[in-house]
Amino acid sequence: RHSLARKLATSAAVMSFWGAKVAPGATAEADTSAGQLLHLSQACLDPAAASGASSKVLVEQNGTSFAIAVLKEGGQECCALDLFLDLTEAKLKVEGKAAVHLTGYFESDDMDEDKDEDEAPAKAKASPKVEAKSSPKAEVK
């Protein structure tokens, strides 16, 4: 029980909310520490977007841009995302006629390693394998 409480306290300390309002033609700004990943959770058009305005959210990495959300006022104004980005290697940009609100959270790059360490003892206690009994084969006529 104590290790779970410590794990939860550690997780809370390494995860923090992030949000940015990105104007058309601009790149999202974020202060990142080494070893932090941004979990991008959502992209939404600015509520003040003009009627019919649209924007694209792009990730630029290694000189190539990838569209991750295409938003349009009066249509799809929000897009749920589940992307982990290292902002030292990737940039988030907005193109179009409206600003976009990007939200997510930062987490330590080594959080998954901690999970693996905690799960290892549980795997060692797994039940022994039980071989399935074969059923009699039906005779084909």
Side-chain angles (χ1 to χ4, degrees), residues 5-126:
R6 185 174 15 147
K7 178 78 172 166
L8 291 174
T10 303
S11 294
V14 296
M15 293 173 54
S16 60
F17 174 80
W18 175 83
K21 180 178 175 180
V22 186
T27 301
E29 299 291 325
D31 294 327
T32 62
S33 300
Q36 279 194 323
L37 293 176
L38 172 64
H39 178 254
L40 187 60
S41 304
Q42 187 164 267
C44 293
L45 277 182
D46 189 319
S51 180
S54 63
S55 286
K56 295 177 189 172
V57 179
L58 306 167
V59 172
E60 185 180 289
Q61 189 166 5
N62 298 325
T64 304
S65 291
F66 303 94
I68 59 169
V70 178
L71 306 171
K72 182 172 181 164
E73 193 281 329
Q76 181 167 348
E77 297 181 354
C78 258
C79 180
L81 300 165
D82 188 17
L83 293 175
F84 288 87
L85 300 166
D86 181 344
L87 293 182
T88 62
E89 299 175 7
K91 294 179 183 177
L92 289 163
K93 299 187 331 182
V94 171
E95 292 180 354
K97 302 284 184 187
V100 175
H101 294 233
L102 301 174
T103 56
Y105 58 89
F106 282 104
E107 72 175 48
S108 175
D109 192 16
D110 64 356
M111 278 188 68
D112 288 336
E113 294 171 13
D114 292 343
K115 286 181 188 175
D116 292 343
E117 290 172 8
D118 289 348
E119 291 174 4
K123 289 179 184 174
K125 295 178 185 177

